[in-house]
Amino acid sequence: MAQVSELLRVGSGVDLASIDPASTPGLPEGKQVRRDPKGWARAELAQLGTRLAQRQEMLYACAKKDRTEARRVLLVLQAMDCGGKDGTVRRVAGTMNPQGLHIVGFGPPTPKELQHDFLWRVRHALPEAGYVGIFNRSHYEDVLVARVRDLVPPKTWRARYDKINAFEQELVGSGCALVKVMLHISYAEQRRRLLERLRDPTKFWKYNPEDVDNRAYWDAYQRAYGDAIARCGTGHAPWYVVPADRKWYRDWAVAHLVLDALNGLELTYPPPDFDPETEIKRLEGDGSG
Amino acid sequence: MAQVSELLRVGSGVDLASIDPASTPGLPEGKQVRRDPKGWARAELAQLGTRLAQRQEMLYACAKKDRTEARRVLLVLQAMDCGGKDGTVRRVAGTMNPQGLHIVGFGPPTPKELQHDFLWRVRHALPEAGYVGIFNRSHYEDVLVARVRDLVPPKTWRARYDKINAFEQELVGSGCALVKVMLHISYAEQRRRLLERLRDPTKFWKYNPEDVDNRAYWDAYQRAYGDAIARCGTGHAPWYVVPADRKWYRDWAVAHLVLDALNGLELTYPPPDFDPETEIKRLEGDGSG
């Protein structure tokens, strides 16, 4: 368990180019896994999902019973176009109780959002206590697309790394376990997935011609990702780079990361704030209608 | 399919006492179903879930590609305590993509909410175009608990039925398919479920001693439900009463109702707003890195 997150955690010395997007760090050895790694990982994901859902219920229960409870989890998903953010949400979050999830997608900022600091909309989107939040894109766009496509002057985006670190430190300090994941795909895999969307009419809606234009900026994006991860991969809020060319590995790995975060909260079901025996007696004295 | 919703739809002449909470309207005949109705219904729910998820994706895709698209679905869940609202959300919504769900639970109104009209918080919680919304409790609490527990004067709650009808007519007219469901359990089944919560430490958090106090008001609640359903079960926004003593029937039936609502929208995947052949050529000319 812990091994997967240790293998995927990256620090200030990260070199994205050295991480193979088709690799599968932490995948156990063994005949069964070698014979059908995808089948194995899908079955394992279902098992992990059961544990995720159980921990999620404990988290929810704690917040429901105790108003001072502050614990929650936030999964931040970043990736190049076609990197698999939506698929990860569907597959990993899909194992949990939708009622305890708070999923927010971030698009280009609206005129109203642009009138505020870049973290304003992010603060409004944070999960409440007891919830597992997921950001599909996040405040990191403000040091990625904003930098690569010159949406703001360099001095503006350069100042944002420190602001992000301060924000995340505050967030973690307030009881939010933060799991920051970059889904790492290759240039060739992106092309393959774009072609797939163009050849399947049920996937046209996912296709955006700008995604092809954006491929011209691939290297600049990789540099921007590298810098964001290096500068904001901190002890309290590390970054994980998940090789994501293989979807089954990606989902399996992200499920591990979220489960580790939930396990780190050392959750238990809350004790009763009533006397069960007294209550049972009240009900037993009550005709069953 | 359509048969289940027709069997469960109720009108102004509804008599809750005449509906058996343990019944299973619309469950098909046949040896396999008779031998293991629960097993059959759970397997069917998985099948229904696949179709729910597919229709949900179409709905989401339409809204993503067309800003004038207004279609969405809202499932309103009401029930007595222990009626199974949370379980229904988990089991039925759990088959869909959490990213396309908008689930809102309504508790007692906050001081801020009380400063507004009772529909204010409800309007703020509506699903956006492309989403399947779920209300776990709803504006109907304002003619249920508010009436039974005298939270407002009679003239206030009496005026609310017409306001609800006007609101729902506007909502449906704006493109929202509305599915209003009362999960109908028996007095005896409520007691059984309360005792279950008291005997399982992992369920203590769901137990509230007030639920037992509330049992003294059972008949008044049933009358208030009957009136709400009779007065607000309209042609454009009918009420469905789902017998809910059997959880497997409840989930199967609610999945049918939501699927019917999605089918009623006659969804298709949106056409491309680009020329796929041109785009394929652009990508094929693009080295695969």
Side-chain angles (χ1 to χ4, degrees), chain A residues 89-206:
Chain A
V89 171
R90 187 165 54 84
R91 292 279 195 168
V92 178
T95 64
M96 290 187 263
N97 184 341
Q99 196 158 246
L101 295 172
H102 185 76
I103 303 172
V104 182
F106 290 95
T110 63
K112 185 180 174 178
E113 287 168 352
L114 285 171
Q115 290 181 338
H116 295 273
D117 179 77
F118 76 105
L119 290 172
W120 180 79
R121 64 174 182 165
V122 175
R123 290 182 188 275
H124 278 268
L126 292 171
E128 288 178 45
Y131 281 77
V132 174
I134 302 179
F135 282 179
N136 186 332
R137 302 186 190 269
S138 68
H139 45 294
Y140 282 96
E141 292 294 326
D142 297 294
V143 291
L144 294 167
V145 64
R147 162 178 166 173
V148 173
R149 303 305 300 267
D150 294 321
L151 305 184
V152 297
K155 72 166 188 200
T156 301
W157 60 256
R158 280 201 190 105
R160 285 177 175 170
Y161 301 106
D162 287 344
K163 289 181 183 175
I164 289 175
N165 286 337
F167 164 65
E168 291 183 353
Q169 187 161 20
E170 174 197 321
L171 189 61
V172 171
S174 77
C176 184
L178 196 51
V179 184
K180 301 187 295 187
V181 172
M182 182 207 180
L183 305 174
H184 181 46
I185 60 163
S186 65
Y187 189 71
E189 178 66 14
Q190 187 190 56
R191 180 171 175 272
R192 210 189 56 74
R193 293 186 186 178
L194 285 168
L195 285 170
E196 196 173 278
R197 291 179 182 184
L198 287 167
R199 287 174 177 145
D200 180 351
T202 73
K203 291 184 175 168
F204 284 166
W205 67 278
K206 296 184 189 175

Side-chain angles (χ1 to χ4, degrees), chain B residues 59 71-73 175-177 259-268:
Chain B
L59 183 69
R71 286 179 294 182
R72 57 226 140 101
V73 172
C176 184
L259 186 57
D260 275 1
L262 282 161
N263 284 339
L265 298 177
E266 298 183 345
L267 297 158
T268 53

Side-chain angles (χ1 to χ4, degrees), chain B:
Chain B
M1 254 22 49
Q3 217 192 330
V4 178
S5 45
E6 277 158 38
L7 289 167
L8 300 177
R9 190 183 301 127
V10 291
S12 56
V14 64
D15 172 20
L16 281 178
S18 73
I19 301 173
D20 178 1
S23 62
T24 58
L27 206 70
E29 300 291 319
K31 254 190 249 173
Q32 206 197 336
V33 183
R34 258 201 312 277
R35 200 182 310 123
D36 179 17
K38 181 176 172 176
W40 179 87
R42 286 288 180 227
E44 269 287 304
L45 179 62
Q47 301 288 326
L48 289 167
T50 303
R51 288 153 67 197
L52 280 170
Q54 197 227 355
R55 304 306 191 278
Q56 181 202 21
E57 183 176 270
M58 286 178 173
L59 183 69
Y60 190 85
C62 289
K64 179 144 179 155
K65 275 295 171 188
D66 180 358
R67 279 158 187 273
T68 67
E69 176 65 60
R71 286 179 294 182
R72 57 226 140 101
V73 172
L74 176 61
L75 170 65
V76 170
L77 287 176
Q78 285 288 159
M80 301 292 285
D81 297 322
C82 297
K85 298 180 297 295
D86 291 342
T88 304
V89 171
R90 187 164 55 82
R91 292 280 194 167
V92 178
T95 65
M96 289 187 263
N97 185 340
Q99 195 158 244
L101 294 172
H102 184 75
I103 303 173
V104 182
F106 291 94
T110 63
K112 184 180 175 179
E113 288 168 350
L114 285 172
Q115 290 181 338
H116 295 273
D117 178 78
F118 76 104
L119 290 171
W120 179 79
R121 63 175 183 165
V122 175
R123 289 181 188 276
H124 278 269
L126 292 171
E128 287 179 47
Y131 281 77
V132 174
I134 302 180
F135 282 179
N136 187 332
R137 302 185 189 270
S138 68
H139 43 296
Y140 282 96
E141 293 294 327
D142 297 295
V143 291
L144 295 167
V145 63
R147 163 179 166 171
V148 173
R149 305 304 301 265
D150 293 320
L151 305 184
V152 296
K155 70 166 188 195
T156 301
W157 60 256
R158 282 202 189 104
R160 285 177 176 169
Y161 300 105
D162 288 343
K163 289 181 184 176
I164 289 175
N165 285 337
F167 164 66
E168 292 183 354
Q169 187 163 20
E170 175 198 321
L171 188 61
V172 171
S174 77
C176 184
L178 196 51
V179 184
K180 302 187 294 188
V181 173
M182 182 207 181
L183 305 173
H184 182 46
I185 59 163
S186 65
Y187 189 70
E189 178 66 15
Q190 188 190 55
R191 179 171 177 269
R192 211 190 57 74
R193 292 186 187 178
L194 285 168
L195 285 171
E196 196 174 279
R197 291 180 182 183
L198 286 167
R199 287 173 177 146
D200 179 352
T202 73
K203 291 185 175 168
F204 284 165
W205 67 278
K206 295 184 191 178
Y207 183 84
N208 184 342
E210 284 174 26
D211 294 350
V212 177
D213 307 333
N214 255 322
R215 279 169 68 74
Y217 300 88
W218 181 274
D219 292 338
Y221 268 111
Q222 294 289 310
R223 274 194 301 276
Y225 265 105
D227 285 350
I229 291 170
R231 297 207 46 184
C232 303
T234 58
H236 54 272
W239 264 102
Y240 300 93
V241 174
V242 173
D245 275 8
R246 298 170 200 259
K247 295 176 182 176
W248 53 263
Y249 173 79
R250 171 198 79 195
D251 298 334
W252 175 81
V254 174
H256 266 295
L257 296 176
V258 178
L259 186 57
D260 275 1
L262 282 161
N263 284 339
L265 298 177
E266 298 183 345
L267 297 158
T268 53
Y269 279 106
D273 50 7
F274 50 84
D275 176 44
E277 287 311 313
T278 308
E279 294 299 312
I280 287 172
K281 281 197 192 98
R282 282 176 75 202
L283 266 162
E284 282 177 343
D286 180 0
S288 65

Side-chain angles (χ1 to χ4, degrees), chain A residues 79-82 137 141 144-146 148-151 187 190 194 207-222, chain B residues 279 282-283 286:
Chain A
M80 301 291 285
D81 297 322
C82 298
R137 302 186 190 269
E141 292 294 326
L144 294 167
V145 64
V148 173
R149 303 305 300 267
D150 294 321
L151 305 184
Y187 189 71
Q190 187 190 56
L194 285 168
Y207 183 83
N208 185 342
E210 283 175 26
D211 293 351
V212 177
D213 306 334
N214 254 323
R215 279 169 68 75
Y217 301 88
W218 181 275
D219 292 340
Y221 269 110
Q222 295 289 309
Chain B
E279 294 299 312
R282 282 176 75 202
L283 266 162
D286 180 0

